[in-house]
Amino acid sequence: MRNTAKTTTLESKFPLLAVEHNCVISKDADITACFRVHLPELFTVASPEYDAIHSAWHKAIKTLPDYSIIHKQDWFIKENYAPDIAQDGLSFLAKSYQQHFNERPFLNHYCYLFLTKTTKERMRMQSNFSSLCKGVLIPKEIRDKETVRRFMEAVAQFERIINDSGFVKLERLTEDDIIGANEKQGLLEQYLTLSRTANTPLQDLALGTEDVRIGNKRLCLHTLSDTDDLPGTVSANTRYEKLSTDRSDCLLSFAAPVGLLLSCNHIYNQYLFLDNSDENLRKFEKSARNMHSLARYSRANQINKEWIEKYLNEAHSFGLSSIRAHFNVMAWSDDANELKQLKNDTGSALALMECKPRHNTIDVATLYWAAMPGNAADFPSEESFYTFIEPALCFFTEETNYQSSPSPFGIKMADRLTGKPIHLDISDLPMKKGIITNRNKFILGPSGSGKSFFTNHMVRQYYEQGAHVLLVDTGNSYQGLCELIKGKTRGEDGVYFTYTEENPIAFNPFYTDDGVFDIEKRESIKTLILTLWKRDDEPPKRSEEVALSNAVSGYIDHIKQNDEYPSFNGFYEYVKGDYKTVLEEKQVREKDFDLANFLNVLEPYYKGGEYDYLLNSDKQLDLLSKRFIVFEIDAIKDHKILFPVVTIIIMEVFINKMRRLKGVRKLILIEEAWKAIAKEGMAEYIKYLFKTVRKFFGEAIVVTQEVDDIIQSPIVKESIINNSDCKILLDQRKYMNKFDDIQAMLGLTEKEKSQILSINMNNDPSRLYKEVWIGLGGTHSAVYATEVSLEEYLAYTTEETEKMEVMQLAHELDGNVEQAIKRIALQRREKANSY
């Protein structure tokens, strides 16, 4: 008796037979090689790179034999960020950051490529011959082993061409990836449940003529299967208006509107069917002749004849391969109202591509079935249209969402599109890969651009990962963070120096713990004395440099022989006495080295002088073991003598850390203080620091907000910019008219310029954040969001009223800044929730 029931088992209809040698074998003897595709990140690809990716796909596809199918399948799944709040060692601010992003929704992207070898007959099959319509599927035998071998060779060539492009990477899927393993969901299982959540059970599949349902999820399908639905022109990329300016273009792939920009659960299927091109063209020749003979009966026939001839002319003139293509967007939801919204959103996305949105309600079941990984040969041929490889490739999505770095070290930033936290390594991994040759950073951002927020956020995370951080600040930007660390470590760390006349910063430049005066220490002393001796516009003569170098070396030998305690006073007396005798013996002329002038200029730093406290400290700054130190020198930033000298004192503290802390990460961040030390007399010192710090597992970071400073100072370019492989820029719209000068000074490419000028142009009003551009070595760059929790905001804030509120409450709580921040954050949340 014949079974008239409308239900059947999945096993009886399942079109796939087995997975062997990491290939899917269908019951119709089709073979499919499966790949995971790694695409470049969103907003990081320029026009030449899109062209290169397009060209790589084209070259690779040309290697495949006739009757092959390229099926690229992009999954876009709504997920929620799940932080590991329970992990050990998380600080108060790190926990608040993770809690702030807990359950943050974002759209995740997974991309796969399936290369299928089928037969001529299968390529011609229509929807009424789908395996869904057959009673029983009897496996066929693969008879031509040579065809299989040639196809697998072509697949290997395809993979090599794509991977050699340097932009897209193919990774072969294993048997476990395809069919799953213990506690691991395979790709087929994910497709049949439309879920990537582990242990999702298989549910009923309702594959009707108008309604397709997977469990409770209903499908909404839009297709591009007719040339009438396509735009007049296509391109490898398109301008994204929301992040473009009249001076710059932000580019995305042509199909980006149905990719990451379509914020819902959906799969974007892209098919290319490689028929025999010559046979296709012969068929069109015959069709053109028929149309010509029927032209007198219908103007439509005449027009069709012209279109066919134009297609043939293109194919023969440029040697193009005639292929068929099809593209569809499958969105789903278990909510009827949301499904209506999905239909509208998908239609709008296709309209942005200048395509005619066609909501398909007839072939949903067969198209869903054919999109099963490895089952592309079951695709109904009437749903495809004829084209060439190059225009068809324009419908491929070519970018993915931001990816976290695999490096254990790094900082947390956020995806600018969705706000998902990204783990970003801008120091170690780029060094290992050869993208950068040093870890130094140059940060440029005008006032109010979020510069201090970003630097606070970065140095806090460096500190929490074991780095020694030394900050030179001129605006109390790091006071809150420093006080928080001080309270947490009970005064063991978080040292905050601010210059006052009662308690000035002082040190002894001639002191060393171990009594060793290496080249670096000697150069440091010479640079300091040279700064005290000569004005900025008065470069020393060669003879004066030699005399000073001999004086320093002579004094060092003197204290070693006589076992004297080193000090600036001792050096002054040595030059006045013993070294004067040496000069007289050598008959050094006054015009070559004016000793009297030298002693006269340095007299204010000798005992009894105005600044005798500066260089004759009898106690050393015990900062070697302190991991977070802030020197706040706002009080003397305009003092012509104290500012450069105190800055060098600070440099000496860092260089001592640099030399003595082996295998420990060190970071020195200099805010506006670099202006004083980047002058003619100090240029060599800065060059030395920026060139040498990388050898000691360290990084020097310079922060500035005045664009004129970097444009007008050649010293900065030579010593800082050229030795900073990581450049960080914040909102530059204030400098839009000067940006060409900035671009030339920093050596930015057109792509980098476009990224920088897109900063903060399309920020999500529901999130509070500022964007920042990070460029590495001139080759890798992207814009990220600096989004922090309310607790971090209160620790980083530079707003005077907010800072005073935190410090005043902390004072009432016996100096407990953490408790003060917690209380204020709680009050603000309660106030916000009450509205």
Side-chain angles (χ1 to χ4, degrees):
M1 183 177 172
R2 191 174 159 207
N3 183 7
T4 56
K6 292 184 179 180
T7 59
T8 185
T9 61
L10 178 63
E11 186 181 9
S12 66
K13 295 289 184 184
F14 200 61
L16 308 181
L17 178 65
V19 176
E20 293 183 7
H21 303 292
N22 298 330
C23 289
V24 177
I25 315 294
S26 80
K27 290 178 180 175
D28 275 288
D30 308 310
I31 300 172
T32 302
C34 307
F35 297 92
R36 184 179 288 109
V37 185
H38 300 277
L39 296 169
E41 292 176 344
L42 196 70
F43 307 126
T44 65
V45 190
S47 181
E49 292 162 351
Y50 275 120
D51 291 339
I53 295 169
H54 187 271
S55 177
W57 281 118
H58 186 220
K59 288 174 189 170
I61 288 168
K62 293 279 279 184
T63 64
L64 296 176
D66 292 346
Y67 310 115
S68 297
I69 303 171
I70 297 96
H71 176 200
K72 183 167 169 285
Q73 188 173 75
D74 291 79
W75 290 58
F76 301 92
I77 307 293
K78 276 188 171 180
E79 296 179 8
N80 292 327
Y81 178 68
D84 187 6
I85 297 173
Q87 72 183 79
D88 296 333
L90 277 185
S91 69
F92 158 61
L93 291 183
K95 278 183 181 174
S96 68
Y97 180 86
Q98 297 285 28
Q99 285 165 346
H100 173 73
F101 286 97
N102 190 30
E103 296 294 311
R104 169 69 61 89
F106 66 97
L107 196 67
N108 217 344
H109 177 215
Y110 307 89
C111 185
Y112 302 99
L113 181 73
F114 310 111
L115 303 178
T116 302
K117 179 70 180 81
T118 184
T119 60
K120 181 179 177 179
E121 295 74 26
R122 288 274 285 158
M123 290 274 272
R124 297 282 182 270
M125 293 251 182
Q126 297 194 345
S127 55
N128 52 348
F129 282 96
S130 168
S131 56
L132 270 178
C133 306
K134 296 178 183 177
V136 180
L137 295 178
I138 301 171
K140 293 182 181 177
E141 185 181 344
I142 299 175
R143 294 183 179 174
D144 189 356
K145 300 292 192 291
E146 182 61 23
T147 301
V148 175
R149 187 187 63 79
R150 283 200 301 270
F151 174 67
M152 295 315 295
E153 286 177 358
V155 167
Q157 285 181 15
F158 186 103
E159 183 180 2
R160 189 162 61 249
I161 290 168
I162 295 296
N163 287 339
D164 286 348
S165 73
F167 298 107
V168 180
K169 183 187 171 192
L170 298 184
E171 179 190 349
R172 195 72 179 264
L173 293 183
T174 64
E175 188 174 326
D176 286 350
D177 292 328
I178 299 166
I179 59 175
N182 291 335
E183 300 300 317
K184 180 181 178 181
Q185 195 182 29
L187 185 55
L188 287 170
E189 192 179 344
Q190 291 167 10
Y191 186 77
L192 291 169
T193 57
L194 290 182
S195 170
R196 296 186 62 90
T197 307
N199 302 318
T200 302
L202 285 172
Q203 295 174 303
D204 291 345
L205 305 180
L207 304 177
T209 51
E210 293 186 7
D211 181 44
V212 171
R213 184 171 46 79
I214 318 303
N216 294 323
K217 298 167 186 166
R218 281 185 159 77
L219 275 185
C220 159
L221 185 73
H222 285 74
T223 57
L224 294 178
S225 52
D226 194 317
T227 49
D228 292 339
D229 301 337
L230 304 179
T233 57
V234 292
S235 58
N237 56 70
T238 185
R239 178 179 154 104
Y240 185 56
E241 293 296 339
K242 289 182 179 178
L243 293 178
S244 297
T245 69
D246 56 349
R247 291 168 173 258
S248 61
D249 293 330
C250 176
L251 299 177
L252 293 175
S253 62
F254 185 77
V258 292
L260 283 166
L261 301 185
L262 179 57
S263 184
C264 64
N265 288 321
H266 67 287
I267 291 175
Y268 179 45
N269 290 300
Q270 303 125 78
Y271 297 91
L272 303 184
F273 303 93
L274 306 186
D275 294 306
N276 184 294
S277 180
D278 294 337
E279 192 177 305
N280 278 355
L281 295 178
R282 281 197 296 271
K283 189 172 73 173
F284 277 116
E285 294 279 8
K286 183 179 177 183
S287 180
R289 287 195 296 271
N290 290 341
M291 290 293 173
H292 178 68
S293 61
L294 296 170
R296 69 178 72 179
Y297 302 111
S298 167
R299 185 174 293 275
N301 290 339
Q302 177 67 31
I303 293 169
N304 283 339
K305 176 220 169 197
E306 289 173 7
W307 277 113
I308 292 170
E309 285 186 341
K310 196 170 183 181
Y311 182 84
L312 290 167
N313 290 340
E314 286 280 312
H316 289 301
S317 299
F318 301 103
L320 304 178
S321 298
S322 173
I323 64 163
R324 288 182 294 116
H326 170 90
F327 308 96
N328 68 54
V329 181
M330 289 194 301
W332 64 86
S333 175
D334 53 8
D335 180 81
N337 291 326
E338 188 185 8
L339 195 65
K340 286 180 184 176
Q341 186 63 44
L342 292 188
K343 179 183 172 184
N344 295 334
D345 289 348
T346 308
S348 300
L350 287 166
L352 283 174
M353 297 165 61
E354 297 184 18
C355 298
K356 190 185 294 180
R358 191 177 293 278
H359 182 225
N360 195 317
T361 56
I362 299 169
D363 294 309
V364 185
T366 50
L367 291 175
Y368 168 77
W369 202 243
M372 186 189 302
N375 196 37
D378 228 0
F379 187 88
S381 62
E382 77 270 18
E383 283 288 334
S384 60
F385 58 89
Y386 284 95
T387 183
F388 301 119
I389 296 173
E390 286 177 289
L393 284 172
C394 293
F395 289 88
F396 274 27
T397 51
E398 302 291 10
E399 58 268 307
T400 188
N401 44 10
Y402 283 18
Q403 303 296 304
S404 288
S405 168
S407 169
F409 178 83
I411 59 174
K412 282 276 193 298
M413 299 298 290
D415 182 323
R416 71 187 303 201
L417 191 67
T418 64
K420 175 199 172 190
I422 303 292
H423 177 75
L424 184 66
D425 185 353
I426 54 176
S427 293
D428 292 358
L429 193 62
M431 279 279 281
K432 286 179 184 173
K433 289 185 172 181
I435 296 167
I436 58 176
T437 57
N438 60 63
R439 296 179 176 85
N440 300 337
K441 296 169 179 59
F442 178 78
I443 303 176
L444 174 68
S447 179
S449 62
K451 187 169 68 272
S452 63
F453 253 80
F454 172 76
T455 48
N456 264 285
H457 192 54
M458 180 176 70
V459 298
R460 189 264 294 176
Q461 293 178 85
Y462 269 62
Y463 169 77
E464 288 175 357
Q465 293 173 84
H468 279 244
V469 177
L470 190 148
L471 305 166
V472 187
D473 186 27
T474 57
N476 291 305
S477 300
Y478 306 95
Q479 186 179 11
L481 181 59
C482 190
E483 292 296 327
L484 184 66
I485 291 170
K486 184 179 179 181
K488 196 70 180 173
T489 58
R490 296 179 181 175
E492 290 297 312
D493 217 333
V495 185
Y496 196 82
F497 287 103
T498 184
Y499 189 97
T500 60
E501 288 191 7
E502 298 77 31
N503 187 25
I505 299 170
F507 90 130
N508 181 350
F510 289 92
Y511 178 83
T512 60
D513 281 348
D514 48 13
V516 175
F517 290 86
D518 54 18
I519 294 172
E520 291 155 359
K521 181 66 176 174
R522 290 169 189 250
E523 286 297 321
S524 171
I525 295 169
K526 279 155 51 181
T527 303
L528 171 63
I529 296 170
L530 202 58
T531 304
L532 302 175
W533 178 25
K534 294 288 184 179
R535 292 195 306 266
D536 298 335
D537 57 352
E538 186 187 0
K541 293 184 288 189
R542 180 64 185 145
S543 58
E544 290 175 328
E545 287 182 350
V546 170
L548 176 59
S549 184
N550 290 338
V552 171
S553 298
Y555 177 62
I556 290 168
D557 293 338
H558 172 78
I559 57 176
K560 284 182 177 178
Q561 289 168 9
N562 299 301
D563 198 23
E564 285 185 14
Y565 185 80
S567 67
F568 180 80
N569 287 341
F571 171 74
Y572 188 88
E573 289 164 0
Y574 167 76
V575 173
K576 194 175 182 180
D578 293 2
Y579 191 58
K580 183 178 180 182
T581 308
V582 172
L583 293 174
E584 288 171 351
E585 288 173 0
K586 288 184 176 181
Q587 297 182 342
V588 175
R589 295 173 299 178
E590 186 178 307
K591 68 174 186 178
D592 293 327
F593 179 66
D594 189 345
L595 180 64
N597 170 268
F598 179 75
L599 292 170
N600 183 51
V601 172
L602 295 186
E603 191 175 7
Y605 308 97
Y606 180 59
K607 60 186 172 187
E610 186 181 357
Y611 304 112
D612 62 349
Y613 58 84
L614 258 183
L615 307 175
N616 292 291
S617 175
D618 56 356
K619 58 180 181 180
Q620 293 306 308
L621 296 175
D622 182 24
L623 300 175
L624 190 66
S625 60
K626 307 295 184 189
R627 289 205 304 111
F628 197 91
I629 307 162
V630 180
F631 285 95
E632 205 293 310
I633 50 179
D634 194 48
I636 56 167
K637 67 180 179 183
D638 297 319
H639 200 294
K640 290 184 178 180
I641 293 173
L642 289 180
F643 194 23
V645 173
V646 169
T647 310
I648 297 172
I649 292 172
I650 296 163
M651 290 292 187
E652 177 67 20
V653 170
F654 181 73
I655 285 173
N656 190 39
K657 280 179 177 286
M658 195 170 79
R659 287 199 307 262
R660 297 184 58 193
L661 295 172
K662 307 292 185 186
V664 177
R665 190 187 304 276
K666 307 118 191 142
L667 178 154
I668 181 167
L669 186 142
I670 310 168
E671 288 257 356
E672 301 299 318
W674 65 268
K675 290 181 197 173
I677 56 178
K679 292 176 182 171
E680 203 66 51
M682 288 297 299
E684 292 304 318
Y685 195 90
I686 283 285
K687 284 181 185 176
Y688 162 74
L689 178 68
F690 268 77
K691 286 181 180 178
T692 310
V693 70
R694 68 176 181 85
K695 299 174 185 175
F696 295 91
F697 194 25
E699 48 193 270
I701 303 171
V702 158
V703 183
T704 187
Q705 67 179 17
E706 293 299 328
V707 66
D708 289 335
D709 293 330
I710 65 162
I711 291 173
Q712 294 170 5
S713 173
I715 307 290
V716 178
K717 179 173 173 59
E718 289 174 23
S719 55
I720 296 175
I721 294 174
N722 288 353
N723 289 298
S724 298
D725 281 0
C726 176
K727 295 177 177 66
I728 299 170
L729 275 72
L730 292 102
D731 198 332
Q732 299 294 310
R733 281 179 289 181
K734 284 184 182 178
Y735 302 140
M736 187 76 83
N737 295 329
K738 297 179 180 178
F739 197 78
D740 289 343
D741 294 329
I742 298 174
Q743 183 180 3
M745 174 65 76
L746 298 180
L748 302 173
T749 64
E750 284 300 311
K751 178 178 90 171
E752 291 170 332
K753 173 186 173 181
S754 298
Q755 290 173 335
I756 293 163
L757 294 181
S758 75
I759 290 173
N760 294 336
M761 279 194 64
N762 189 36
N763 286 10
D764 185 345
S766 66
R767 291 161 45 210
L768 190 63
Y769 65 96
K770 293 277 182 73
E771 291 184 335
V772 55
W773 175 85
I774 300 175
L776 296 169
T779 57
H780 292 63
S781 59
V783 176
Y784 300 91
T786 307
E787 184 177 350
V788 297
S789 63
L790 184 52
E791 288 81 356
E792 288 169 296
Y793 174 84
L794 292 168
Y796 303 159
T797 183
T798 53
E799 281 291 323
E800 190 69 26
T801 53
E802 292 176 323
K803 196 187 295 184
M804 284 178 63
E805 184 184 2
V806 172
M807 292 304 168
Q808 197 170 340
L809 184 56
H811 180 70
E812 294 171 12
L813 296 169
D814 298 325
N816 194 327
V817 179
E818 184 177 318
Q819 281 301 321
I821 288 173
K822 281 180 179 177
R823 278 200 194 178
I824 295 170
L826 182 63
Q827 288 168 7
R828 290 196 181 184
R829 286 196 180 99
E830 287 175 350
K831 189 176 179 181
N833 291 334
S834 66
Y835 287 115

